[in-house]
């Protein structure tokens, strides 16, 4: 393939009639030197009228003419001296092609006599397109061929002849097979360098000196480049790499990698790239075992699953299992296999002479924390000397422990863990803002280093919990999104972070989004850990309750029964416990949670009733009591919330809403107070609760103007258009005239409304409530009359607002 510039160069060389106008063509193998040699010879022959002759040794039989000499680098010194003698004859014109290496002195003398040199370059993409068969000139085929071959003409030709345009883009076996002859003819040193290049060594010259056992590494590298198989950076062309992997026996390639890794390990260098491909080969020996172990340590922060496999390979290679058991347990835990991690960690802990027992203890402690066994987790952390992590477990089970003083170097990791412990302590003994500030700082400090650190919980997750309890949903969202992006805590915490985001979506009224996140979490992990499972079930219950989906609520409640048995009560599960409390009241199954709620009260009492942690239980208890008609219990929970608001005005929003709920339940609706409380909840991110409060108050008021106002408030909070209907003076009544009829809905009407807006027919609604379809129709007609709806669609719209998002009620 000759472009315009190359063609002009050929024409200029052919037209040069000066004596001794010899031409050299120098390029690695595969660059088309032979084709260019004959093309140039023919061009000269056309100008001079003398046909070119392909000259082979012995050269003393040639006395004149245009002589074409190919592969001059393969000639011996005697032949090269004869060529140089011929070059001094005015009747001889030489066109010589050679590789750039080996560049022996005799060859250099011949090339130095040439007046012009051609240095063929790789083909660019346009040139590759031009030489490919028409069937392969699509953009994707051109890009693939160019990337695989580096534009080396011979390799482009090989791949172009073998590619099937309708098949997957991969190098066919037929193209690979053509490299067999080239590899077989290589010098042993060059072949070993190519095998090292295939292993990814590149131009690590110091390592190559030891591996090739020669100081002449540069010469070997140049000889390898001269084959055309190696690029300028010392890396193999992809097609050549593929050929070596197919044509060179795997045993030899494995030995090469093992030898390189042993040399690299002795030098203190990284060995992971060398050992990764050998993880399943079963190679053995002390050197291989040490290299596998070192590679596992390198892989642990970024790919703990690979690290676990590398530790297993080290055992296969001859490393005693107990020697790597603790680190292998850590890798398994970070990869999400807590069962395997616990088994190995327990084995190490029970052996007094086992190495890394404290590491094994911290691995077991972290795994137990994920499974809700915070008390035992704290014991193990204290035994291992990890006092800051022990604080987490202690506080979680109701034992307030002072954060320990830092006695190690102030690294990012130690600083983050210390701040996390301080934040947890402040959440109980200090102020909510102090606690939240420390946890936010801990999460930010941990971000750059937390991906490969095994944690019982993350400061981001704990900070998000506190922010949810405190009505700071924006802070909670930011913490979780940053932790997910940073990969904090690896696989064990990935699901937890996403489930907490789902919880935020749920309380904001984004029910489909919350459901999708939970479904994705269940797909990602075949079996959720107990803590994650409890949160997932809590979200599924919360979504079903808010959506008025009785069937799904019942199914989720069956799972909830097992989830709460598997996970003991601790401080960090009060969010789902509060949601389960409301679901239990709705399903009239409060006894199932009685023991757990009693444990929670004891735990809170042991910590001095910290309002920041107690708020979800108070809020959930309030609504459960309202649903169950337990006025005294509802007032007790509302009173606790009000007491908390007296100490921290941030809780005032919840306290105002709690007071409104008590009044609405008693039939007393202050539209101003309800609207203010609803707007306060909405401002705190509790969109669904806000809309539901306004909607429920609208069903209880006897003031039609207040009803319309509260309905509009609920719809605005939900992002829906408000009603265009306005209440007339006649409807409101004037002095001396009869007041408008009461517009509150009865409990039975609310039940009918909930089922109607869920899409059921009158017959289906009747079957659910054990009444006739006619009675259902009568209820709907009365509601339409009371609400003043002019059409069925307007009625359904108002009913959806009245019963909450998609028809929810307690």
């Amino acid at each position: 393939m000759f472009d315009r510039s190359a063609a002009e160069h050929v024409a200029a060389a052919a037209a040069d009639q000066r004596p001794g106008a010899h031409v050299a063509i120098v390029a690695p193998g595969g660059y088309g030197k032979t084709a260019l040699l004959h093309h140039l010879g023919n061009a000269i022959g056309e100008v001079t009228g003398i046909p070119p002759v392909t000259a082979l040794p012995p050269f003393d039989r040639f006395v004149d003419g245009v002589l074409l000499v190919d592969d001059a680098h393969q000639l011996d010194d005697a032949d090269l001296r004869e060529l140089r003698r011929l070059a001094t004859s005015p009747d001889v014109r030489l066109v010589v092609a050679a590789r750039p290496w080996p560049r022996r002195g005799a060859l250099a003398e011949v090339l130095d006599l040439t007046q012009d040199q051609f240095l063929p370059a790789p083909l660019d993409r346009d040139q590759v397109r031009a030489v490919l068969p028409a069937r392969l000139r699509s953009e994707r085929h051109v890009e693939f061929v160019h990337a695989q071959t580096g534009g080396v003409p011979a390799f482009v030709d090989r791949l172009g002849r073998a590619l099937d345009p309708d098949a997957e883009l991969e190098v066919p076996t037929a193209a690979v097979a053509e490299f067999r002859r080239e590899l077989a003819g290589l010098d042993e040193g060059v072949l070993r360098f190519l095998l090292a290049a295939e292993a990814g060594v590149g131009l690590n010259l110091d390592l190559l000196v030891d591996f090739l056992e020669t100081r002449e590494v540069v010469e070997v590298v140049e000889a390898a480049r001269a084959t055309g198989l190696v690029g300028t950076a010392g890396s193999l062309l992809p097609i050549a790499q593929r050929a070596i992997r197919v044509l060179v026996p795997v045993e030899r390639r494995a030995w090469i990698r093992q030898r390189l890794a042993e040399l690299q390990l002795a030098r203190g260098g990284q060995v992971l790239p060398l050992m990764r491909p050998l993880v399943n080969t079963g190679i053995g020996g002390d050197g291989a075992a040490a290299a596998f172990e070192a590679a596992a340590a390198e892989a642990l922060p970024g790919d703990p699953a690979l690290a676990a496999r590398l530790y297993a390979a080290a055992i296969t290679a001859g490393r005693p299992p107990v020697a790597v058991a603790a680190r292998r347990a850590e890798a398994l835990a970070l990869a999400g296999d807590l069962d395997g991690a616990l088994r190995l960690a327990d084995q190490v802990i029970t052996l007094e002479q086992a190495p890394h027992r404290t590491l094994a203890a911290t691995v077991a402690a972290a795994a137990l924390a994920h499974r809700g066994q915070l008390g035992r987790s704290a014991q193990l952390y204290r035994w291992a000397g990890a006092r800051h992590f022990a604080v987490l477990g202690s506080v979680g089970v109701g034992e307030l422990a002072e954060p320990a003083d830092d006695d190690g170097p102030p690294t990012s990791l130690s600083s983050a863990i210390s701040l996390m412990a301080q934040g947890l302590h402040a959440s109980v003994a200090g102020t909510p803002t102090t606690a939240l500030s420390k946890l936010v700082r801990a999460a930010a400090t941990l971000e750059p280093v937390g991906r490969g650190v095994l944690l019982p919980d993350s400061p981001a997750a704990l900070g998000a919990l506190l922010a949810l309890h405190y009505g700071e949903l924006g802070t909670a969202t930011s913490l979780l999104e940053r932790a997910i992006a940073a990969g904090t805590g690896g696989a064990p915490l990935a699901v937890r972070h996403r489930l907490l985001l789902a919880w935020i979506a749920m309380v904001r009224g984004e029910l489909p989004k919350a459901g999708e996140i939970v479904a994705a979490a269940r797909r990602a992990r075949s079996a959720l850990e107990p803590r994650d499972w409890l949160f997932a079930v809590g979200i599924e219950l919360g979504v079903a309750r808010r959506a008025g989906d009785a069937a799904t609520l019942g199914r989720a409640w069956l799972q909830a029964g097992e989830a709460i048995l598997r996970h003991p009560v601790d401080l960090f599960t009060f969010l789902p416990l509060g949601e389960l409390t409301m679901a239990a009241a709705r399903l009239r199954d409060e006894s199932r949670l009685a023991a757990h709620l009693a444990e929670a009260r004891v735990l809170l009492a042991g910590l001095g009733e910290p309002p920041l942690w107690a708020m979800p239980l108070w809020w959930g208890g309030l609504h459960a009591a309202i649903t169950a008609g337990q006025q005294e219990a509802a007032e007790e929970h509302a009173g606790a919330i009000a007491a908390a608001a007296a100490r921290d005005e941030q809780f005032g929003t919840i306290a105002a809403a709690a007071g409104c709920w008590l009044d609405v339940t008693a039939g007393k609706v202050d539209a101003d107070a309800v609207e203010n409380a609803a707007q306060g909840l909405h401002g705190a991110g509790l969109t669904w609760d806000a809309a539901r409060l306004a909607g429920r108050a609208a069903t209880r008021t006897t003031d039609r103007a207040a009803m319309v106002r509260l309905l509009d408030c609920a719809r605005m909070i939900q992002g829906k258009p408000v009603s265009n209907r306005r209440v007339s003076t006649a409807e409101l009544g004037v002095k001396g005239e009869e007041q408008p009829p009461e517009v509150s809905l009865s409990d039975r009407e609310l039940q009918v409304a909930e089922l109607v807006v869920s899409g059921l027919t009158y017959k289906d609604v009747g079957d659910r409530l054990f009444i006739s379809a006619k009675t259902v129709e009568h209820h709907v007609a009365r509601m339409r009359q009371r609400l003043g709806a002019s059409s069925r669609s307007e009625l359904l719209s108002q009913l959806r607002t009245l019963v909450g998002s998609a028809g929810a009620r307690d």
Side-chain angles (χ1 to χ4, degrees), residues 429-771:
T431 64
T433 53
T434 299
L436 196 53
S437 172
K438 288 185 179 295
L439 286 167
V440 169
R441 287 160 52 201
T445 304
L446 189 60
E447 282 176 12
V449 297
R451 180 178 293 273
V453 178
L454 185 60
L455 302 168
D457 210 340
S458 73
L462 294 171
L465 282 176
L466 290 186
L468 276 162
H469 291 198
Y470 202 48
E472 294 284 355
L473 269 64
T475 299
T477 301
S478 175
L479 281 169
L480 295 168
E481 288 178 344
R482 290 174 65 95
I484 290 170
T488 301
L493 283 169
V495 170
R496 177 157 175 75
H497 292 149
R498 294 191 182 280
L499 287 176
L500 286 170
L501 275 180
W503 198 284
I504 294 170
M506 178 180 71
V507 298
R508 282 177 169 163
E510 301 168 353
L511 305 187
K513 179 180 178 181
E516 289 168 5
I517 295 175
V518 173
R522 290 191 179 276
R523 288 193 300 270
R525 300 289 294 273
S526 57
L528 296 178
E529 294 301 329
R531 180 173 63 187
D532 293 335
W533 190 27
L534 183 59
F535 271 83
V537 169
I539 295 166
E540 288 168 343
L541 283 169
V543 168
R545 183 176 66 84
R546 287 165 173 79
D549 188 344
T552 301
L553 186 69
R555 288 194 297 270
W557 184 246
L558 294 176
Q559 286 195 59
E562 185 177 352
I564 58 179
L565 290 176
R566 287 183 58 190
H567 196 292
V569 172
D570 66 48
L571 196 65
F572 311 129
T573 57
F574 282 5
L575 268 182
L577 190 57
E579 189 61 51
L580 265 63
T581 301
M582 291 183 274
R586 172 76 181 273
L587 296 169
R588 303 292 188 264
D589 195 12
E590 295 93 338
S591 61
R592 188 183 294 268
L593 283 183
H596 295 80
L597 290 173
E599 287 183 41
R601 286 191 290 271
V602 171
L603 192 157
L604 283 171
L607 294 173
E609 300 286 346
L612 184 58
W613 289 108
M615 193 59 64
L617 291 186
W618 291 340
W619 183 252
L622 168 70
H623 288 281
I626 290 174
T627 299
Q630 299 170 351
Q631 184 67 19
E632 184 176 343
E635 291 175 353
E636 180 181 344
H637 289 300
I641 296 173
R647 286 181 286 171
D648 188 330
E649 63 181 16
Q650 179 74 7
F651 295 122
T653 298
I654 301 296
C660 285
W661 270 110
L662 288 179
D663 289 341
V664 168
T665 303
K668 297 181 293 184
V669 179
D670 181 335
D672 290 336
V674 169
E675 188 169 5
N676 288 336
Q679 293 293 353
L681 289 174
H682 180 49
L686 304 175
T687 302
W688 186 87
D689 287 285
R692 181 168 166 273
L693 172 60
R696 186 53 53 87
T699 70
R700 295 302 191 206
T701 183
T702 59
D703 184 335
R704 186 176 295 276
M707 179 202 72
V708 173
R709 174 182 164 191
L710 291 172
L711 281 176
D712 283 349
C713 174
R715 295 178 67 81
M716 288 177 65
I717 288 171
Q718 293 173 316
K720 299 177 181 179
V722 300
S723 171
N724 291 323
R725 183 178 180 276
R726 291 292 178 264
V727 182
S728 66
T729 304
E731 287 179 308
L732 291 174
V734 294
K735 187 174 181 179
E737 294 183 2
E738 184 180 353
Q739 294 299 310
E742 184 179 300
V743 296
S744 62
L745 302 183
S746 66
D747 288 341
R748 173 61 84 184
E749 286 171 337
L750 283 173
Q751 290 176 331
V752 170
E754 188 173 303
L755 295 173
V756 166
V757 298
S758 70
L760 296 182
T761 65
Y762 289 171
K763 182 179 184 305
D764 291 337
V765 173
D767 290 342
R768 292 277 187 94
L769 300 179
F770 303 102
I771 57 179

Side-chain angles (χ1 to χ4, degrees), residues 188-357:
E188 177 61 20
V190 172
L191 180 57
R192 290 189 69 187
F193 170 76
L194 294 180
L195 289 169
E198 185 274 332
V201 169
L203 294 181
N204 187 335
L205 297 183
D206 291 339
L207 178 59
L208 289 172
V209 165
D210 293 338
F211 174 66
L212 298 175
E213 299 176 348
T214 177
R215 305 297 299 180
E216 306 300 327
V217 170
V218 173
E219 286 77 1
V220 176
V221 173
E222 291 299 331
R225 284 202 181 107
T227 65
L229 301 171
V230 177
T232 55
S235 58
L236 285 168
L237 297 178
I239 194 171
Q241 188 174 56
R242 167 77 171 156
I244 287 176
R245 289 175 179 174
V246 171
L247 300 176
V248 177
V250 64
E251 297 82 4
R252 182 169 192 192
R253 289 189 290 110
W255 180 86
I256 292 289
R257 284 181 174 271
Q258 180 178 340
R259 178 61 182 151
L260 286 166
E262 291 171 356
L263 292 170
Q264 185 77 322
L265 192 60
R267 300 166 57 82
Q270 293 186 339
V271 297
L272 177 58
L274 293 166
M275 300 306 293
R276 181 190 285 112
L278 304 182
V279 70
N280 295 318
T281 60
I283 63 172
D286 291 343
F292 276 128
E293 187 174 357
E298 293 173 30
L300 184 63
D303 191 346
L306 172 61
R309 295 198 302 274
L310 286 163
Y311 281 125
I315 295 171
T316 301
R319 195 74 163 160
V322 70
V324 297
R327 298 197 182 281
R328 187 181 174 199
E330 181 184 23
L332 288 171
L334 280 168
D337 182 4
L338 297 186
D339 285 338
L342 275 171
R343 282 195 298 270
L344 286 175
D346 280 350
Q347 292 172 14
V348 175
I349 294 169
T350 56
L351 295 174
E352 291 188 7
Q353 303 304 316
H356 312 301
R357 290 180 76 204

Side-chain angles (χ1 to χ4, degrees), residues 135 154-164 170-182 239 242-243 246-247:
R135 68 183 190 281
F155 303 160
V156 171
D157 177 64
R158 287 179 191 178
L159 190 51
R161 285 186 283 106
L163 269 182
D164 181 347
E170 59 182 21
V171 178
T173 303
V176 171
E178 294 192 38
F179 286 87
R180 188 181 303 276
R181 181 173 56 84
E182 288 166 274
I239 194 171
R242 167 77 171 156
V246 171
L247 300 176

